[in-house]
Amino acid sequence: MNRILIAEDEPRIASFIEKGLKSHGFTTMLATTAQDALRLALGGEFDLLLLDLGLPGKDGLEILEELRGQGEQVPIIILTARDEIHHKVAGFESGADDYMTKPFRFEELLARIRARLRQSTGGRSQDVLELLAGGVVLDLRSRKVRVGEREVELPAREFVLAETFFRHPGQVMSREQLLDRVWGYDYDPGSNIVDVYVGYLRKKLGSDLIETVRGMGYRLKA
Ligand code: CA
């Protein structure tokens, strides 16, 4: 299932896109303000972001820069009425993967979304087989971990947590984000399961690999 975050404040356009995507088997979520778009995109729950540049709260280009600045790699397609070439250039320079101008045909939007998703999943399965940080190698095929010369066994949940950190080096991950991504269910906000598992990883992979960022969460040393 592909999850698309639609950041769009114009109800008519948003519902047109949502209906179309749902009828093609996508799961969608709508953000109508810049703040919501940022929060949801950084939550890491989506395979692609459709971004209107004129959202209340903040300019779309700033949203893009903030997402990319925080290491968020979700594919982003800009969908905007700004159709001049310098707008497009600015969009790509801020980290967009594609740019579509309104008015648009749904078929073309769908084709572009599919092309982006193909690229990003293709990249994951064919190119990125190993993730590296601080002398630790995660082999995504065999799901084995090497620490220097040693091979370390990680139970499934610990491996997924490690992979989540390794896919976002240098980026602060909140406990909530980690719970969402690794455990993926509603949790007791008072739960310390993330802290416990980070402790396991530190013990097995090296005590200084994952830093605590006070009041915010954890970060893999870039
Ligand atoms: Ca708008």
Side-chain angles (χ1 to χ4, degrees):
M1 180 92 79
N2 286 305
R3 296 154 305 175
I4 314 285
L5 176 59
I6 303 165
E8 173 65 68
D9 64 325
E10 168 66 52
R12 218 166 25 87
I13 298 175
S15 102
F16 172 66
I17 298 172
E18 272 199 300
K19 272 191 202 136
L21 288 178
K22 279 182 180 153
S23 77
H24 285 85
F26 292 90
T27 302
T28 60
M29 183 169 276
L30 182 63
T32 57
T33 64
Q35 201 185 16
D36 282 352
L38 264 173
R39 182 176 52 80
L40 289 166
L42 284 171
E45 293 296 288
F46 299 94
D47 300 305
L48 188 136
L49 166 61
L50 274 183
L51 179 65
D52 172 27
L53 290 182
L55 287 173
K58 201 173 254 189
D59 189 80
L61 292 180
E62 283 178 61
I63 297 177
L64 257 174
E65 281 162 9
E66 211 163 316
L67 288 174
R68 295 310 190 213
Q70 295 202 37
E72 183 53 61
Q73 288 169 1
V74 65
I76 299 174
I77 301 178
I78 290 177
L79 190 55
T80 179
R82 298 179 201 168
D83 60 356
E84 286 171 46
I85 193 72
H86 71 269
H87 289 133
K88 293 188 186 180
V89 170
F92 282 111
E93 281 182 348
S94 301
D97 298 284
D98 202 354
Y99 195 107
M100 259 193 94
T101 50
K102 297 170 182 169
F104 60 95
R105 294 288 299 267
F106 182 76
E107 290 77 9
E108 185 181 351
L109 178 66
L110 184 64
R112 286 178 188 249
I113 288 173
R114 284 182 168 152
R116 278 302 136 195
L117 291 173
R118 256 200 314 277
Q119 269 180 1
S120 59
T121 51
R124 262 206 291 283
S125 58
Q126 288 158 22
D127 306 334
V128 184
L129 298 172
E130 291 189 337
L131 298 170
L132 291 119
V136 178
V137 181
L138 254 57
D139 186 324
L140 299 177
R141 255 182 324 187
S142 67
R143 304 191 76 76
K144 285 190 174 140
V145 182
R146 284 199 313 279
V147 183
E149 302 288 291
R150 269 185 315 133
E151 200 163 89
V152 177
E153 287 277 340
L154 290 184
R157 196 77 79 179
E158 289 173 42
F159 191 92
V160 175
L161 180 62
E163 182 182 345
T164 305
F165 278 117
F166 275 66
R167 286 195 184 278
H168 301 85
Q171 183 184 332
V172 178
M173 311 284 294
S174 69
R175 283 178 181 76
E176 193 176 332
Q177 282 174 330
L178 292 167
L179 276 169
D180 279 353
R181 291 185 197 200
V182 178
W183 283 268
Y185 51 73
D186 278 324
Y187 58 94
D188 166 12
S191 160
N192 68 343
I193 193 166
V194 171
D195 312 83
V196 171
Y197 271 74
V198 166
Y200 294 157
L201 290 185
R202 283 174 171 160
K203 217 169 271 174
K204 293 176 183 173
L205 308 182
S207 56
D208 57 355
L209 190 65
I210 299 167
E211 301 170 314
T212 302
V213 183
R214 211 166 287 279
M216 295 182 73
Y218 295 102
R219 173 171 56 203
L220 181 79
K221 275 195 178 170

